[in-house]
Amino acid sequence: MALDFNFSDEQEKYRASVRDFARREILPHVAVWDEREVMPWPAIRRMGEAGLLGIIAPKHLGGQEKDYISLGIA
Protein backbone atom coordinates (compact mmCIF):
# COMPACT_ATOMS: atom_id res chain seq x y z
CA MET A 1 0.00 0.00 0.00
CA ALA A 2 1.54 3.29 -1.13
CA LEU A 3 1.29 6.39 0.99
CA ASP A 4 -0.25 9.48 -0.56
CA PHE A 5 1.65 12.62 0.42
CA ASN A 6 -0.40 14.97 -1.74
CA PHE A 7 -2.45 17.72 -0.15
CA SER A 8 -6.23 17.35 -0.27
CA ASP A 9 -8.19 19.82 -2.39
CA GLU A 10 -9.13 21.73 0.77
CA GLN A 11 -5.48 21.87 1.87
CA GLU A 12 -4.41 23.11 -1.59
CA LYS A 13 -7.00 25.90 -1.41
CA TYR A 14 -5.82 26.80 2.08
CA ARG A 15 -2.19 26.81 0.91
CA ALA A 16 -3.08 29.18 -1.93
CA SER A 17 -4.92 31.52 0.45
CA VAL A 18 -2.00 31.53 2.92
CA ARG A 19 0.43 32.26 0.07
CA ASP A 20 -1.75 35.10 -1.24
CA PHE A 21 -2.07 36.60 2.23
CA ALA A 22 1.67 36.41 2.84
CA ARG A 23 2.49 38.04 -0.49
CA ARG A 24 -0.05 40.80 0.05
CA GLU A 25 0.23 41.52 3.78
CA ILE A 26 3.65 40.29 4.96
CA LEU A 27 6.14 40.40 2.10
CA PRO A 28 5.97 44.17 1.49
CA HIS A 29 6.91 44.85 5.12
CA VAL A 30 9.09 41.93 6.13
CA ALA A 31 12.47 43.66 5.65
CA VAL A 32 11.53 46.56 7.92
CA TRP A 33 9.90 44.31 10.52
CA ASP A 34 12.94 42.06 10.52
CA GLU A 35 15.32 44.99 10.87
CA ARG A 36 13.28 46.42 13.75
CA GLU A 37 12.63 42.95 15.23
CA VAL A 38 8.89 43.59 15.48
CA MET A 39 5.66 42.00 14.38
CA PRO A 40 3.04 44.79 14.54
CA TRP A 41 -0.31 44.05 16.20
CA PRO A 42 -2.29 45.19 13.13
CA ALA A 43 -0.50 42.51 11.09
CA ILE A 44 -1.28 39.89 13.72
CA ARG A 45 -4.90 41.03 13.74
CA ARG A 46 -5.07 40.64 9.95
CA MET A 47 -3.57 37.15 10.31
CA GLY A 48 -6.40 36.26 12.66
CA GLU A 49 -8.99 37.69 10.28
CA ALA A 50 -7.45 35.57 7.49
CA GLY A 51 -7.79 32.40 9.57
CA LEU A 52 -4.07 32.01 10.30
CA LEU A 53 -4.36 31.90 14.09
CA GLY A 54 -6.01 29.21 16.17
CA ILE A 55 -5.70 26.82 13.26
CA ILE A 56 -6.15 23.60 15.22
CA ALA A 57 -8.19 25.07 18.09
CA PRO A 58 -11.86 24.05 18.46
CA LYS A 59 -14.46 26.30 16.86
CA HIS A 60 -16.21 26.90 20.20
CA LEU A 61 -12.99 28.61 21.34
CA GLY A 62 -12.79 30.70 18.18
CA GLY A 63 -10.44 28.37 16.34
CA GLN A 64 -10.45 27.06 12.82
CA GLU A 65 -10.57 23.35 13.78
CA LYS A 66 -8.29 22.40 10.89
CA ASP A 67 -5.83 19.51 10.77
CA TYR A 68 -2.14 19.52 11.62
CA ILE A 69 -1.20 19.54 7.93
CA SER A 70 -2.99 22.88 7.60
CA LEU A 71 -1.10 24.11 10.65
CA GLY A 72 2.13 23.18 8.90
CA ILE A 73 1.01 24.90 5.71
CA ALA A 74 0.37 28.12 7.60
Side-chain angles (χ1 to χ4, degrees):
M1 179 180 191
L3 294 175
D4 182 6
F5 291 103
N6 294 309
F7 291 139
S8 68
D9 289 341
E10 181 180 337
Q11 291 165 336
E12 282 291 352
K13 289 177 188 173
Y14 186 65
R15 186 171 76 132
S17 72
V18 170
R19 183 186 311 117
D20 291 344
F21 176 86
R23 284 182 179 156
R24 187 180 63 251
E25 300 288 337
I26 305 295
L27 185 60
H29 311 286
V30 73
V32 172
W33 294 346
D34 189 42
E35 182 180 310
R36 295 180 183 168
E37 299 180 353
V38 298
M39 183 66 176
W41 280 109
I44 295 169
R45 209 170 285 115
R46 286 191 301 274
M47 289 172 65
E49 292 164 358
L52 298 175
L53 303 178
I55 295 167
I56 59 172
K59 288 189 186 238
H60 74 274
L61 295 177
Q64 302 296 315
E65 223 170 79
K66 292 189 179 292
D67 58 18
Y68 282 93
I69 300 297
S70 297
L71 177 62
I73 289 169

